[in-house]
Amino acid sequence: MAAPGGGVADGGDATGDAGGQGGGSGLRTALAGLTTRGRSFLAAGVAATVCAYVLGQSDLLRVGLLLAVLPLVCAGVLYRTRYRVAGSRRLSPARVPAASEARVHLRMDNVSRLPTGLLMLQDRVPYVLGPRPRFVLDRVEAGGRREVSYRVRSDLRGRYPLGPLQLRLTDPFGMCELTRSFATYDTLTVIPRVEPLPPVRLAGEAQGYGDGRQRSLALAGEDDVIPRGYRYGDDLRRVHWRSTARYGELMVRREEQPQRARCTVLLDTRGAAFQGAGPDSAFEWAVSGAASVLVHMLERGFSVRLLTDSGTAVPGEGADGFAGASQEAADAAGLMMDTLAVVDHADTDTLSAAYDVLRGGTEGLLVAFFGDLDEEQAAVAARMRRRSRGAVAFLLDSAAWTRGAVAPECAERLRLLQEAGWTAVAVPSGASVVDMWRQADRERTASPAPSTGGRS
């Protein structure tokens, strides 16, 4: 079995060959593969033989023997016939947003010198992806191949195994059917839905590179110089003569280095903060919103970090997050989407771990997706604003999403966050991420945050 984009491996005796090893176990395997038709023929043949013996009818005896022997011969021939068949699977694409379709391409190669008989191909897929696909392949010539494909779709994000691939062999009379399974499987990753967000003015850093960026000088003084070798085209006014005399070659001062604007996306995963389940639940909206903001900020050139309430981030993420507007931006987005594809409710009931991570440094723009906040957790969320240049909060009230009625506590928590400097908006049931993103911009315009911002 091949990987999603790889070559094809020989099925082998245990995975793709149709045949057996003989002996008692082989005979039992062959007999167990008799179909309903084969068992009916065998039963009818035995009954006719017994009747012919009792009644003394030789013609009936010949008919009974024919009916009984035919399924046994078909089972034996099918079991002893060696079909060396190799299979491969390719996913297109291997990572697909929720509620979108992916196509699975299957290829079967006959690597033996004998043509195959009728083949029935079946792939195992989780129930959430749709019905189990089955295909009937006609005779495959020696060295030939057959290609088929099917579509899968899931409204729920996650990682779903596809396989193993099963091959059913049958004789021309349909008396016997044997199943062979390939050993490997592939994985389809269903990531959250990502909505393209418009560039709006939010408090915090302006751009990944632009007027709102920060700069750090490569030298802090004459005694703290980090020079580099002279390159053709360098301005001679930047030559550092003391280092030149020390190293015996022209050395120049480094230019000031831009510090990339940072954005941290905080996702509240506390189980007590969200009620309901399914693709239209508040938690799934928060995951989709976090994914949309992450991709948007990466495209704008920000260094992006994904943080959960438990204080965990994406594996392999640097201290400043993943850098955008670079060759690694697509890989960074893929890693974060893979993380969000399997994120689930956490056992924690507090935001303290995330607050401890945030207070350890100065954040650029902080975008948070909160569920239900009690008085204590709302106070913790309010303190997170102190270490960020700008903060935007999307508050999802479980009562509004499950019962259609806004809880009185939601307005109080929203006011508390706004007084702490957050640009906070309440998310009603069924709202789109784009609309709430624009509403956050309007809220910021109506009540400007302490930090100045540009386009993000």
Side-chain angles (χ1 to χ4, degrees):
M1 182 67 65
V8 180
D10 185 3
D13 289 343
T15 58
D17 292 346
Q21 305 299 328
S25 61
L27 180 59
R28 287 193 296 270
T29 302
L31 294 178
L34 289 176
T35 62
T36 302
R37 179 184 299 178
R39 296 176 186 273
S40 300
F41 267 65
L42 181 60
V46 172
T49 302
V50 173
C51 293
Y53 178 77
V54 173
L55 300 176
Q57 296 291 329
S58 58
D59 293 337
L60 183 59
L61 178 62
R62 286 191 290 270
V63 173
L65 292 177
L66 176 62
L67 293 177
V69 170
L70 180 60
L72 298 179
V73 171
C74 291
V77 171
L78 181 64
Y79 189 79
R80 298 300 300 178
T81 302
R82 305 299 295 179
Y83 289 155
R84 294 187 60 82
V85 181
S88 64
R89 181 190 296 106
R90 179 172 57 87
L91 306 182
S92 177
R95 184 188 292 118
V96 62
S100 299
E101 289 185 345
R103 183 168 289 275
V104 183
H105 301 269
L106 304 177
R107 193 180 80 175
M108 303 301 300
D109 293 84
N110 182 12
V111 297
S112 67
R113 298 180 180 179
L114 298 175
T116 68
L118 190 66
L119 303 179
M120 288 182 289
L121 191 63
Q122 175 178 281
D123 203 8
R124 287 189 177 182
V125 300
Y127 176 76
V128 69
L129 296 182
R132 180 170 297 182
R134 294 180 174 89
F135 304 94
V136 177
L137 305 181
D138 293 333
R139 177 179 177 273
V140 182
E141 64 279 4
R145 70 176 57 172
R146 296 290 186 272
E147 295 184 3
V148 293
S149 65
Y150 64 94
R151 294 176 297 179
V152 291
R153 181 182 183 273
S154 174
D155 292 330
L156 300 176
R157 54 186 177 79
R159 293 173 61 88
Y160 301 102
L162 300 179
L165 196 62
Q166 290 184 333
L167 195 64
R168 293 186 178 182
L169 312 175
T170 183
D171 64 280
F173 300 102
M175 298 290 180
C176 185
E177 183 179 278
L178 299 179
T179 301
R180 295 291 181 265
S181 296
F182 290 81
T184 60
Y185 62 90
D186 298 316
T187 301
L188 175 67
T189 303
V190 180
I191 62 176
R193 289 189 295 267
V194 176
E195 298 186 29
L197 302 180
V200 299
R201 286 186 173 274
L202 295 176
E205 298 294 341
Q207 292 179 351
Y209 289 118
D211 296 336
R213 66 182 176 185
Q214 297 176 333
R215 290 181 177 269
S216 60
L217 294 179
L219 63 154
E222 198 64 27
D223 297 330
D224 187 20
V225 178
I226 306 177
R228 61 169 176 82
Y230 175 82
R231 299 171 184 169
Y232 179 78
D234 285 338
D235 191 348
L236 292 178
R237 290 175 296 182
R238 292 173 44 224
V239 174
H240 191 263
W241 298 108
R242 181 178 301 180
S243 299
T244 299
R246 179 184 304 173
Y247 294 104
E249 59 176 329
L250 279 179
M251 305 293 291
V252 297
R253 295 184 178 91
R254 294 190 181 188
E255 296 177 340
E256 60 181 3
Q257 302 295 323
Q259 181 178 355
R260 191 184 299 273
R262 298 173 58 185
C263 174
T264 297
V265 177
L266 174 61
L267 177 62
D268 186 2
T269 62
R270 296 172 299 130
F274 296 94
Q275 299 178 11
D280 297 328
S281 64
F283 182 68
E284 293 302 322
W285 192 99
V287 175
S288 178
S292 302
V293 173
L294 287 170
V295 173
H296 176 72
M297 289 302 178
L298 275 175
E299 293 175 348
R300 304 295 295 176
F302 280 70
S303 290
V304 180
R305 177 173 64 168
L306 173 62
L307 187 67
T308 64
D309 56 283
S310 58
T312 58
V314 179
E317 189 178 69
D320 294 334
F322 290 107
S326 64
Q327 294 181 352
E328 294 80 13
D331 295 335
L335 286 174
M336 288 187 288
M337 292 302 104
D338 288 344
T339 301
L340 290 176
V342 296
V343 71
D344 202 353
H345 293 295
D347 296 333
T348 58
D349 55 0
T350 177
L351 299 172
S352 300
Y355 171 70
D356 292 339
V357 174
L358 292 174
R359 72 176 181 178
T362 302
E363 300 298 321
L365 177 63
L366 175 61
V367 182
F369 294 85
F370 293 120
D372 293 334
L373 298 174
D374 56 24
E375 185 176 355
E376 179 182 356
Q377 300 311 311
V380 175
R383 292 197 298 269
M384 294 179 182
R385 172 66 179 85
R386 302 174 185 174
R387 306 299 296 179
S388 61
R389 297 177 179 271
V392 181
F394 297 94
L395 189 60
L396 292 93
D397 178 27
S398 294
W401 282 76
T402 57
R403 298 187 295 272
V406 179
E409 296 82 4
C410 181
E412 178 64 23
R413 307 296 181 250
L414 199 66
R415 183 188 61 81
L416 179 62
L417 293 178
Q418 292 171 345
E419 291 178 351
W422 286 83
T423 300
V425 294
V427 181
S429 176
S432 71
V433 178
V434 176
D435 292 341
M436 301 312 300
W437 186 251
R438 290 196 176 104
Q439 182 176 341
D441 177 52
R442 292 193 295 268
E443 293 287 342
R444 184 208 62 83
T445 304
S447 301
S451 300
T452 58
R455 283 194 172 275
S456 61

